[in-house]
Amino acid sequence: MSEYKMPRGIVISGTGLWTPPEAISNEELVAALNTYADKFNREHAAAIEAGEVEAKPHSSAEFIEKASGIKNRYVISKEGILDPERMRPYLPERADDELCLQAEMGLKAARLAMEKANKRPEDIDAVIVSASYLQRSYPAIAIEIQGALGIDGFGFDMEVACSSATFALQRAVDAVSSGSARAVLVINPELASPQVDYTDRDSHFIFGDVAVASVIERREGCNAETAWEILGTKAKTVFSNNIRSNFSYTSRAADVDPFGPGKLFRQNGRKVFKEVCPMAAAHLESQVEELGIEPKAISRWWLHQANINMNQLIAKKLMGDEATPERAPIVLDRYANTGCAGSVIAFNLHSDDLPVGSKGVICSFGAGYSIGSLALEKIAV
Ligand code: CO8
């Protein structure tokens, strides 16, 4: 277990949320998959009859909403995803001298976060881009965004699947508390749609695209009217194969299809649900207790957004009968699972209404397994 006792006086001074313009409802997604499945089953009727190929089952909008709480997701481009002849987005390749798509998404969220924090590029010393997938290995997407913003400092990319945001925020806290940066811009451009198998009913509904960003800095340098002081951070990882993506640059050398079986997102959702809920609840309970705070004294839990039933279970463990959607807000109905960005979206949309002195916790849980959390208190600056 990694537990970091940090000095006080470090704040989140602003966050930004950029939502792609195109949305897909469960009904639209299911219609595309069912048309694809019918066509596949017609074309493979003889092999299916002979037991050589498995028939593709239909998906159902009712199942999706009941099992996950997801009603909608935003994507960069919906047309290809809903085309039964394609079943994947169409995102044309860009030239080296154009901003790459993930940098473009991240830049939009970064500008919103800097505006909210009242920060200029010259106030920032470091940029961290952290997401479940990165569009390329190098040059780092963070350095591309750093260049586009004109920030004089350093940048790097990192990946911790669903905990990419909370773990990156913790690295930003480390940098600010050690003095290696005055302010750090943490950017999470979750470009999920290219890695979703839209022909697979078990997972076609889970993910959406989005970008979020946050500014971490010392309280003394903060120009925002209010900010969230970080009271403590906590991170934990435990190896599990229950959520896995084997997509790799080594596929070429292994003579296998880089997009073949097992290479896109896959999971044993039931096992994840059963194993992660108690881990996350215990992690959060112990974190706030170590800080001398009763879980019931936390005004808001900005939980990871993968499954509404999971969040209700965790909220109930933490708050008992006082668990309400106001205290553990849900954004996955609208955004679906946006990898590491979900809890930051919840924080962005559901924190301004709280008065100074309120306490809250941002928490992620998912692949790895990984759990990351930050306990916060709203302050007047
Ligand atoms: N329509 C109709 N039926 C369906 C569908 C569908 N779309 N999908 C599955 N079914 C069927 C199944 O085949 C199964 O049928 P049968 O009983 O005949 O086998 C039946 O419905 C029940 O299926 P499940 O047991 O799978 O259903 P669950 O109730 O468990 O619900 C969930 C499935 C919603 C996936 C649920 O298990 C869940 O949400 N679990 C938690 C998962 C979780 O939190 N995962 C984290 C994943 S993401 C993550 O950590 C980040 C990875 C990085 C990627 C990020 C990119 C941005």
Side-chain angles (χ1 to χ4, degrees):
M1 184 183 74
S2 125
E3 190 191 322
Y4 174 60
K5 296 251 184 297
M6 51 168 295
R8 296 287 295 267
I10 297 168
V11 300
I12 299 179
S13 50
T15 60
L17 161 64
W18 178 74
T19 303
E22 301 201 356
I24 302 180
S25 68
N26 287 346
E27 288 71 20
E28 287 175 292
L29 200 65
V30 165
L33 187 144
N34 291 352
T35 306
Y36 166 85
D38 290 343
K39 183 169 172 281
F40 178 94
N41 294 341
R42 267 196 315 275
E43 287 170 3
H44 297 85
I48 292 169
E49 183 73 26
E52 292 155 10
V53 170
E54 254 185 63
K56 290 265 177 207
H58 273 192
S59 183
S60 133
E62 296 72 40
F63 170 87
I64 295 170
E65 191 174 336
K66 190 157 177 285
S68 70
I70 297 167
K71 300 178 188 166
N72 181 72
R73 73 278 302 137
Y74 294 99
V75 292
I76 298 291
S77 176
K78 69 190 273 188
E79 198 182 326
I81 296 170
L82 296 183
D83 176 358
E85 300 295 331
R86 183 172 174 86
M87 301 300 277
R88 60 187 191 280
Y90 177 59
L91 306 172
E93 196 157 60
R94 296 182 177 184
D96 287 357
D97 60 359
E98 288 178 280
L99 208 60
C100 81
L101 179 54
Q102 211 171 16
E104 183 181 293
M105 295 168 67
L107 191 57
K108 287 175 177 160
R111 287 199 165 114
L112 294 169
M114 287 169 68
E115 194 182 311
K116 177 94 178 177
N118 204 5
K119 281 274 161 281
R120 296 159 306 167
E122 52 269 39
D123 303 322
I124 310 271
D125 291 329
V127 179
I128 305 175
V129 162
S130 187
S132 304
Y133 286 85
L134 291 164
Q135 206 179 333
R136 61 162 191 264
S137 300
Y138 49 84
I141 311 288
I143 303 176
E144 191 176 3
I145 297 178
Q146 178 200 345
L149 285 169
I151 289 172
D152 181 15
F154 64 93
F156 61 89
D157 293 347
M158 55 181 272
E159 274 180 342
V160 201
C162 284
S163 291
S164 297
T166 53
F167 277 44
L169 287 167
Q170 296 186 13
R171 300 293 67 75
V173 168
D174 292 351
V176 172
S177 71
S178 72
S180 64
R182 289 166 302 156
V184 181
L185 185 56
V186 173
I187 309 170
N188 315 107
E190 283 288 25
L191 180 52
S193 56
Q195 58 83 42
V196 174
D197 181 354
Y198 288 101
T199 72
D200 169 35
R201 77 165 182 173
D202 289 332
S203 60
H204 76 129
F205 59 88
I206 297 178
F207 296 106
D209 300 328
V210 82
V212 293
S214 314
V215 176
I216 307 292
E217 60 179 321
R218 287 199 169 276
R219 183 182 182 154
E220 306 90 76
C222 180
N223 298 323
E225 275 175 27
T226 58
W228 287 86
E229 182 173 11
I230 299 161
L231 306 176
T233 63
K234 189 167 170 124
K236 188 176 173 80
T237 51
V238 178
F239 184 70
S240 166
N241 271 323
N242 286 327
I243 314 169
R244 197 164 170 119
S245 166
N246 282 345
F247 179 75
S248 170
Y249 77 99
T250 60
S251 291
R252 182 170 169 257
D255 296 334
V256 295
D257 175 2
F259 306 104
K263 298 291 187 280
L264 300 177
F265 168 87
R266 66 190 153 100
Q267 71 169 346
N268 185 335
R270 270 284 148 100
K271 275 202 174 155
V272 174
F273 195 115
K274 279 208 183 118
E275 291 174 6
V276 169
C277 283
M279 272 170 66
H283 175 102
L284 289 166
E285 216 161 22
S286 68
Q287 179 180 23
V288 294
E289 279 170 8
E290 280 153 20
L291 291 166
I293 307 166
E294 277 277 307
K296 285 185 178 180
I298 298 291
S299 305
R300 204 150 286 169
W301 299 89
W302 300 286
L303 297 176
H304 181 59
Q305 304 282 318
N307 183 298
I308 196 171
N309 304 315
M310 238 171 155
N311 287 24
Q312 284 170 350
L313 200 71
I314 293 168
K316 188 117 185 132
K317 266 199 138 277
L318 293 165
M319 290 177 277
D321 293 341
E322 290 170 33
T324 60
E326 287 70 39
R327 292 186 65 190
I330 293 294
V331 300
L332 62 84
D333 52 345
R334 211 178 126 200
Y335 281 89
N337 182 337
T338 48
C340 75
S343 51
V344 183
I345 301 176
F347 175 73
N348 176 281
L349 295 176
H350 299 283
S351 56
D352 282 350
D353 61 308
L354 291 170
V356 166
S358 304
K359 293 185 174 64
V361 178
I362 295 178
C363 178
S364 66
F365 35 86
Y369 296 135
S370 58
I371 306 180
S373 54
L374 296 97
L376 311 174
E377 180 173 338
K378 191 164 185 173
I379 56 164
V381 181

